[in-house]
Amino acid sequence: MFIGHFAIAYIFHYFFPSMPLWVALAGVSFPDLLWPILVILGIEKVSINSKFPLQKDIKFNHYPYSHSMVLSTAIAAVFGGILSLLLNNNSILFLFPVLSVSHWFLDAIVHRRDLPVLGFSKKDIKVGLGLWNHGKVAFVSEYLFYIIITLVFAPSGSIVMLLALGTIFHIANMNSFLGLSKTNFFAKGRYTYPLITLLGFCLFIILAAI
Ligand SMILES: [Zn+2]
């Protein structure tokens, strides 16, 4: 999931306005900011078949540090603590791990059953409701979710810009839902997909928060 995560940041920023919007956006993105770095370092594993462009066909073989409910939230709590010290804002200490775990719950709706619960046990349970198996439904529902939440909770002066930004990024991500191409461009080399993911999340956070 991509733009759907950002909608949760708008809700938290609405109720906790002392937390800067970029921190809320980084919090909900935290698992997908950590994941590309760990994949590039060879610590987490993903496999992409160049013949299949759909998100549902990407196999997240091993990602307990970035995408487990418990371990990832613990790591996010450490980052939240550092950020709250740097920005001298106590609320970030508690909010950052909550924002991060929201990512896991939303991912659990769309992912296949590959999301670990604990992240540190060999007998870990993996979850995922697999909405990505229904590409068109997933595409429309993530977009509607983003639009509705943005209209209700986004900062009033930024609503039009955030609606436009979400629309552009969702369209850019369209092929992974609808499979319009016959190949997966991101399968080129080991680093393309993690780097595109990192770039996409960073770019959205920067553009949405300025
Ligand atoms: Zn994710």
Side-chain angles (χ1 to χ4, degrees):
M1 180 174 283
F2 187 28
I3 64 165
H5 293 299
F6 303 125
I8 302 295
Y10 305 153
I11 299 176
F12 275 81
H13 182 63
Y14 179 87
F15 288 107
F16 303 95
S18 71
M19 172 174 57
L21 182 59
W22 73 265
V23 174
L25 290 164
V28 296
S29 309
F30 183 72
D32 274 343
L33 295 172
L34 187 60
W35 178 79
I37 297 164
L38 296 179
V39 170
I40 289 166
L41 292 174
I43 296 167
E44 299 203 330
K45 306 281 180 210
V46 62
S47 46
I48 309 173
N49 188 325
S50 60
K51 293 194 183 103
F52 299 105
L54 294 174
Q55 190 71 47
K56 75 176 175 70
D57 295 315
I58 292 174
K59 295 203 166 37
F60 297 96
N61 303 316
H62 183 67
Y63 56 169
Y65 304 102
S66 67
H67 276 78
S68 64
M69 186 176 76
V70 176
L71 185 56
S72 306
T73 309
I75 296 169
V78 174
F79 276 80
I82 296 167
L83 262 182
S84 81
L85 283 175
L86 289 175
L87 300 175
N88 197 18
N89 183 326
N90 289 339
S91 64
I92 294 171
L93 174 67
F94 303 101
L95 291 173
F96 200 82
V98 176
L99 289 158
S100 177
V101 82
S102 81
H103 182 111
W104 188 88
F105 280 100
L106 285 193
D107 269 3
I109 299 169
V110 294
H111 274 236
R112 297 172 331 128
R113 198 175 292 174
D114 59 21
L115 283 162
V117 174
L118 297 175
F120 48 79
S121 165
K122 284 222 162 72
K123 290 179 187 157
D124 210 351
I125 300 164
K126 292 188 174 175
V127 300
L129 298 174
L131 187 61
W132 275 338
N133 289 327
H134 312 278
K136 285 179 193 154
V137 180
F139 182 74
V140 172
S141 42
E142 184 173 344
Y143 187 57
L144 283 179
F145 177 71
Y146 179 87
I147 294 294
I148 292 166
I149 300 285
T150 303
L151 285 171
V152 177
F153 293 102
S156 54
S158 316
I159 286 179
V160 175
M161 194 272 285
L162 293 175
L163 288 176
L165 204 58
T167 303
I168 292 164
F169 276 73
H170 198 51
I171 289 171
N173 193 23
M174 185 162 70
N175 198 40
S176 74
F177 290 92
L178 306 177
L180 305 173
S181 72
K182 294 280 166 270
T183 54
N184 193 326
F185 313 115
F186 302 144
K188 287 194 185 81
R190 209 179 111 199
Y191 302 126
T192 308
Y193 184 55
L195 283 175
I196 290 286
T197 304
L198 189 60
L199 183 75
F201 274 88
C202 288
L203 203 60
F204 191 99
I205 293 168
I206 292 165
L207 292 174
I210 52 175

